[in-house]
Amino acid sequence: MTIMQYWIVGWIAVGVFAIFAMTWLIGLITDQPSLRFFCDFLMVIALFGMLVGFGGRYKQIRLANARKEAAALKRKKLTKAETAFKDRAQEAYDLISSSSSDISGSWSKAVSDAKKAAKKAKTSKSKGKTKKTTPKTVSPSEAVSSAFKKHKDDIAKAQKLLTGQKTYLTRIYQYGAKANYQKYQTAEKKEVAYYNAVVSINKLTLPKYQEKVKTAKAEYLAAWKLLINS
């Protein structure tokens, strides 16, 4: 029964009680014990009806308030989980992007310096010039290794942030964002793919590495845009 239905039952019982209370008084005045007994019986039933009606209404109001409080708490927890997920995702993205830019830039510079050095050596040899001492150039592998060491802490922190996102995904699902859960999940997967693209360079040339990172980044940003606009 609804709150209104309980309220109606309670007031109907009040009306019944009032009618038979007056009838009981008439029986008292006219000295009719059987009428008073009948009224006593019906007034007890009316009192029970009032107890059920008003007591049930009070209980339903308490339950409704409890449900509202639970829903408000759930929304608060959901908002907190969503905010934490987005903040962690943004922090991880900044760390990954910074590391990617430095790794790609160092690699590109090393390749460019190596080409210039090789071209200069070839020109000097063709002209028959005596070889002079030239500044040592950093090989691409050394440059990449140095960049990874430089961003070791950033990469480790980004990995930790991404690993912890599973916890917030679970909370988001539990707290009721089932409609947008798929978008959160997709964004998380695409950011992990972006991270993996940045830290995986085995057997890749610079152009292939840059293309792989660019594609992974674009896919993540597209998923992130869908999530933010949802």
Side-chain angles (χ1 to χ4, degrees):
M1 293 175 66
T2 64
I3 294 174
M4 180 58 69
Q5 288 171 334
Y6 276 112
W7 184 82
I8 292 172
V9 168
W11 279 107
I12 288 174
V14 169
V16 170
F17 182 86
I19 291 171
F20 285 100
M22 292 176 66
T23 305
W24 185 90
L25 288 173
I26 293 172
L28 179 64
I29 294 170
T30 58
D31 193 21
Q32 299 182 51
S34 58
L35 179 59
R36 293 201 306 272
F37 177 78
F38 178 70
C39 291
D40 287 338
F41 176 74
L42 291 179
M43 283 191 293
V44 169
I45 294 176
L47 286 171
F48 180 75
M50 284 189 280
L51 177 64
V52 171
F54 294 124
R57 178 178 178 273
Y58 175 72
K59 183 179 179 181
Q60 289 299 314
I61 289 174
R62 287 188 61 188
L63 289 173
N65 289 336
R67 284 192 290 269
K68 287 180 182 178
E69 289 175 2
L73 180 60
K74 195 174 183 180
R75 285 194 299 271
K76 184 177 179 181
K77 288 182 177 180
L78 174 60
T79 300
K80 185 177 180 180
E82 288 178 327
T83 301
F85 180 93
K86 291 174 181 178
D87 289 345
R88 290 167 65 90
Q90 185 61 53
E91 185 178 0
Y93 171 76
D94 292 340
L95 292 169
I96 296 168
S97 294
S98 175
S99 301
S100 172
S101 297
D102 200 12
I103 291 168
S104 182
S106 298
W107 193 350
S108 180
K109 184 176 184 304
V111 169
S112 178
D113 289 346
K115 287 181 179 179
K116 288 179 181 178
K119 184 177 180 180
K120 186 175 181 180
K122 186 177 180 180
T123 301
S124 298
K125 186 176 180 180
S126 63
K127 291 182 179 181
K129 293 182 179 179
T130 305
K131 186 176 180 181
K132 296 181 180 180
T133 302
T134 56
K136 183 181 179 181
T137 58
V138 179
S139 68
S141 61
E142 289 175 334
V144 171
S145 178
S146 177
F148 267 103
K149 287 180 180 178
K150 178 181 176 182
H151 292 278
K152 180 181 178 181
D153 291 340
D154 289 345
I155 292 172
K157 186 176 181 180
Q159 183 183 35
K160 185 177 180 180
L161 287 168
L162 293 175
T163 302
Q165 291 292 65
K166 294 291 184 184
T167 300
Y168 293 95
L169 276 175
T170 302
R171 292 178 185 174
I172 289 169
Y173 185 81
Q174 289 176 340
Y175 297 147
K178 296 180 177 61
N180 290 327
Y181 175 76
Q182 189 65 40
K183 293 178 181 179
Y184 280 97
Q185 190 177 45
T186 300
E188 186 266 340
K189 288 181 178 179
K190 293 300 182 182
E191 189 164 28
V192 170
Y194 178 35
Y195 168 85
N196 289 333
V198 170
V199 300
S200 302
I201 62 170
N202 292 339
K203 299 180 181 179
L204 290 177
T205 60
L206 176 59
K208 287 184 178 180
Y209 173 78
Q210 290 175 327
E211 181 62 27
K212 182 179 73 166
V213 170
K214 181 181 178 181
T215 301
K217 182 178 181 178
E219 289 178 354
Y220 167 68
L221 290 177
W224 179 255
K225 186 176 180 180
L226 284 175
L227 175 61
I228 295 299
N229 293 334
S230 61

